[in-house]
Amino acid sequence: MAKPLKPLESLALEKLSEESLPKPLDELSDAELENKKLVGRVTTYVLKYLSNKFVDNGFEWLLPVVFSKSTDPLWPDPGASIDKKVECEIYGETVKTTSSMIVHKMVACSLAYPKLFTFSPNIRIEKRERAYTGIHAYEFTQLDFEVRYASAQDIRSLVEKILSGLIEGLKKDLREELVALGRYKTLREIELPLEVYDRMELLKKHGDNWENKIISSSSKPVWITNIPREFYDFEDFKNGRWDNYDLMLPGYGEVLSGSKREWEYNKIVKKMDRDNVRKDNYQLLLKLAKEGKLKPSAGAGIGIERLVQWIVGAKHIGEVQPFPKIPGVVYEL
Ligand code: ASN
């Protein structure tokens, strides 16, 4: 079985305490509400910019789903710390809430939409202690996208172009808001291309603490490749290398993960058996793969709240959510 890696822990610029956890809207002071409004303007800009870019690049915009029989196992994944899976029964069938739309993306990209994206609500009931990492929420939104026959490099180049354009646009169009948030000067325009590091080499060089080293020492986002994790990421059985990637934001950590995908039936089955992933939960994906209908693709998902958190410099991800979903803290809204 692939060995789970150590999870990415806090990057928190400062240690968070119980009192400093984000509060619900009705408990905010006037100054805090003003701040929330500024964050709202940045979020609107980010959503508009990203959706325009994907549409302009020929992507179809799909609406997300909440309930399915099949969703992301999030296993084995170095970043996962799931307290419970949310399942319920409807019409006599057991369905799960979406942990990510990876399975839907692979199927939709293979059968109908060669270039697709969606803003998908992801439910991941993180362990309570993750309230204090500053970057975990039990509900968040992923801009998940997938491209048929694309390579990992194609996806990284697309993301780099979009991200650097976004920062340039924000600095031009939202100067006042960024000044008020104290981020205008420190949010630097991104010089391309970004560095790409191999996880194995970082591990050799820095030991187990490599993630924190990278996050605290880089001044711009960096790519990490070759990360052992879920069955759907492409693994070269000949040399053991994984053709996948995470994008790490300075001071914060992972904001995007993605990969070239597996599409061959035998390989997928082998990986599911090795990792103890129940094949029952992936009947359609396996059927399509067996029939040769699953197509090679590559893609990624961007955590919208983490992206906005970094842009505005918030200490906790819940600060950029209108309705904070902090692990272990359940507000009325
Ligand atoms: N969205 C990710 C991907 O495209 C999967 C995930 O969120 N676990 O690979």
Side-chain angles (χ1 to χ4, degrees):
M1 187 161 98
K3 220 168 119 214
L5 305 167
K6 278 185 71 142
L8 168 70
E9 279 311 336
S10 177
L11 21 145
L13 315 162
E14 236 168 75
K15 267 261 162 280
L16 290 159
S17 63
E18 205 169 330
E19 301 76 61
S20 64
L21 292 180
K23 294 189 289 269
L25 280 180
D26 56 291
E27 288 178 26
L28 299 181
S29 66
D30 286 349
E32 287 168 330
L33 281 172
E34 273 315 307
N35 206 66
K36 206 85 178 177
K37 283 187 211 166
L38 293 170
V39 172
R41 265 185 247 153
V42 171
T43 307
T44 302
Y45 189 96
V46 168
L47 293 174
K48 184 174 170 191
Y49 187 92
L50 295 176
S51 43
N52 280 346
K53 282 293 155 198
F54 278 91
V55 172
D56 292 348
N57 277 283
F59 284 71
E60 301 301 337
W61 189 345
L62 308 195
L63 293 174
V65 296
V66 173
F67 289 129
S68 310
K69 289 191 193 176
S70 188
T71 193
D72 193 332
L74 298 179
W75 172 263
D77 182 338
S81 134
I82 298 300
D83 204 32
K84 101 187 248 182
K85 302 254 177 193
V86 183
E87 287 186 355
C88 69
E89 206 196 285
I90 51 172
Y91 311 116
E93 302 270 7
T94 303
V95 288
K96 303 171 182 66
T97 49
T98 301
S99 48
S100 97
M101 276 180 60
I102 182 67
V103 179
H104 301 75
K105 285 200 305 179
M106 289 169 75
V107 171
C109 182
S110 295
L111 298 185
Y113 315 98
K115 292 173 98 177
L116 66 88
F117 77 103
T118 179
F119 289 98
S120 146
N122 285 194
I123 311 295
R124 301 185 185 176
I125 311 302
E126 304 278 356
K127 296 212 187 318
R128 285 172 184 273
E129 53 270 26
R130 285 210 157 173
Y132 303 100
T133 64
I135 54 161
H136 290 96
Y138 65 86
E139 259 189 58
F140 67 95
T141 301
Q142 251 203 95
L143 194 186
D144 236 337
F145 62 97
E146 199 69 23
V147 183
R148 198 188 288 171
Y149 302 131
S151 67
Q153 184 54 54
D154 293 336
I155 300 297
R156 288 200 295 266
S157 303
L158 175 73
V159 169
E160 288 189 2
K161 226 173 54 203
I162 292 179
L163 196 63
S164 71
L166 170 65
I167 303 304
E168 201 185 314
L170 276 163
K171 293 203 70 162
K172 193 155 56 76
D173 301 330
L174 251 56
R175 185 189 171 115
E176 225 174 88
E177 287 80 356
L178 291 175
V179 169
L181 288 159
R183 269 301 262 158
Y184 186 77
K185 276 204 187 116
T186 50
L187 184 68
R188 299 265 157 78
E189 277 169 24
I190 301 173
E191 236 177 84
L192 298 181
L194 301 179
E195 303 281 348
V196 183
Y197 295 103
D198 183 297
R199 186 193 58 94
M200 282 308 288
E201 278 156 31
L202 290 175
L203 196 62
K204 254 190 253 154
K205 193 162 162 207
H206 302 294
D208 277 350
N209 199 31
W210 64 268
E211 282 167 335
N212 283 333
K213 269 254 157 52
I214 279 289
I215 293 163
S216 54
S217 64
S218 42
S219 58
K220 60 179 187 174
V222 297
W223 293 105
I224 309 293
T225 59
N226 191 17
I227 310 155
R229 56 186 175 203
E230 291 92 342
F231 71 83
Y232 48 78
D233 281 13
F234 188 91
E235 181 182 359
D236 187 334
F237 278 176
K238 283 190 239 98
N239 58 19
R241 277 190 58 84
W242 292 69
D243 199 1
N244 58 8
Y245 34 86
D246 275 358
L247 185 69
M248 312 294 262
L249 295 176
Y252 286 87
E254 187 231 303
V255 69
L256 166 152
S257 70
S259 75
K260 177 178 153 182
R261 311 297 178 191
E262 299 287 4
W263 72 95
E264 285 170 322
Y265 177 76
N266 289 338
K267 253 185 111 183
I268 297 177
V269 166
K270 226 181 232 168
K271 292 174 84 177
M272 285 182 170
D273 286 340
R274 177 187 71 185
D275 300 343
N276 286 326
V277 170
R278 288 185 52 169
K279 292 196 281 294
D280 260 11
N281 290 340
Y282 301 96
Q283 289 178 26
L284 175 63
L285 195 74
L286 288 166
K287 177 177 170 287
L288 291 174
K290 198 172 196 172
E291 293 169 356
K293 289 184 184 156
L294 204 61
K295 302 276 186 347
S297 67
I302 300 173
I304 293 294
E305 291 90 335
R306 283 190 185 172
L307 179 61
V308 173
Q309 183 187 8
W310 170 65
I311 291 168
V312 303
K315 289 199 185 74
H316 199 288
I317 191 165
E319 289 171 43
V320 308
Q321 293 182 300
F323 310 103
K325 301 292 176 189
I326 306 160
V329 183
V330 180
Y331 295 133
E332 184 165 335
L333 301 185

